[in-house]
């Protein structure tokens, strides 16, 4: 997932790449790559001076980059309504065990992506219900196919 923000104060362009599956991160400032120092600490050079960037947060709580005394929000945190919409599909997990939980988690991840990108609350609710409904339909189809295969 690639996120780009321009600092309103320093006018720097921050590019934050995060691999959702592996958890790997990389940061570029003004199209210049940074080097990883520690787990969440990166260095880059600006005007022959080494600067440090610290990464705060995660996919759920949102990502922030701390560059000196400047804080750049790369991925905002979810609001209360958005959390409800993201977690709603996990109800399938309670009803459907591992298969339902996996499908509910996939729908929740899709919801998290959509609710951060959309400003209209009605569209957020509609898409969340759509993802949950699709996950439930897929669960019913998979569970039905498994029962048919087991019972012959």
């Amino acid at each position: 997932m690639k996120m780009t923000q321009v600092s309103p104060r320093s006018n720097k362009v921050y590019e934050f790449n995060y691999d959702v599956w592996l958890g790997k991160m990389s940061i570029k400032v003004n199209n210049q790559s940074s080097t990883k120092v520690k787990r969440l600490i990166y260095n880059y050079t600006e005007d022959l001076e080494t600067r440090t960037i610290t990464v705060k947060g995660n996919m759920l709580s949102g990502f922030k980059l701390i560059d000196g005394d400047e804080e750049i929000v790369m991925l905002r945190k979810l609001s209360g309504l958005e959390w409800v919409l993201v977690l709603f599909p996990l109800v399938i997990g309670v009803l459907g065990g591992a298969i339902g939980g996996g499908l509910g988690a996939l729908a929740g991840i899709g919801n998290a992506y959509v609710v951060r990108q959309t400003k209209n609350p009605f569209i957020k609710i509609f898409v969340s219900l759509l993802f949950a409904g699709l996950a439930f339909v897929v669960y019913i189809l998979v569970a039905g196919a498994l029962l048919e295969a087991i019972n012959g």
Side-chain angles (χ1 to χ4, degrees):
M1 171 181 270
K2 181 178 174 182
M3 299 163 256
T4 305
Q5 291 290 343
V6 177
S7 166
R9 227 172 62 190
S10 62
N11 221 20
K12 294 178 190 171
V13 178
Y14 292 88
E15 184 181 301
F16 180 67
N17 287 304
Y18 180 72
D19 186 334
V20 177
W21 300 108
L22 300 176
K24 293 185 178 182
M25 302 177 203
S26 66
I27 301 172
K28 287 185 179 180
V29 181
N30 291 334
N31 214 17
Q32 175 189 344
S33 294
S34 62
T35 55
K36 186 175 184 176
V37 178
K38 291 183 185 173
R39 184 169 174 261
L40 298 173
I41 299 174
Y42 294 80
N43 284 344
Y44 70 98
T45 305
E46 178 182 62
D47 299 329
L48 301 176
E49 180 181 329
T50 301
R51 306 219 9 134
T52 301
I53 296 177
T54 306
V55 180
K56 300 275 185 187
N58 57 44
M59 285 295 291
L60 295 176
S61 65
F63 280 113
K64 294 179 186 176
L65 301 181
I66 312 296
D67 186 359
D69 61 343
E70 191 170 16
E71 186 175 283
I72 300 92
V73 177
M74 299 305 287
L75 185 67
R76 69 174 178 79
K77 65 181 183 178
L78 296 173
S79 70
L81 170 66
E82 291 171 340
W83 273 109
V84 170
L85 295 175
V86 167
L87 296 176
F88 175 69
L90 292 180
V91 171
I92 301 170
V94 174
L95 302 173
I99 296 170
L103 291 169
L106 287 175
I109 290 168
N111 282 346
Y113 180 75
V114 170
V115 299
R116 280 196 172 111
Q117 307 297 326
T118 308
K119 298 216 183 291
N120 187 330
F122 296 110
I123 293 175
K124 290 179 185 184
I125 292 169
F126 174 75
V127 170
S128 176
L129 292 174
L130 180 70
F131 279 178
L134 287 174
F136 186 71
V137 167
V138 170
Y139 165 72
I140 294 295
L141 293 173
V142 169
L146 284 174
L147 283 174
E148 184 68 30
I150 291 172
N151 294 333

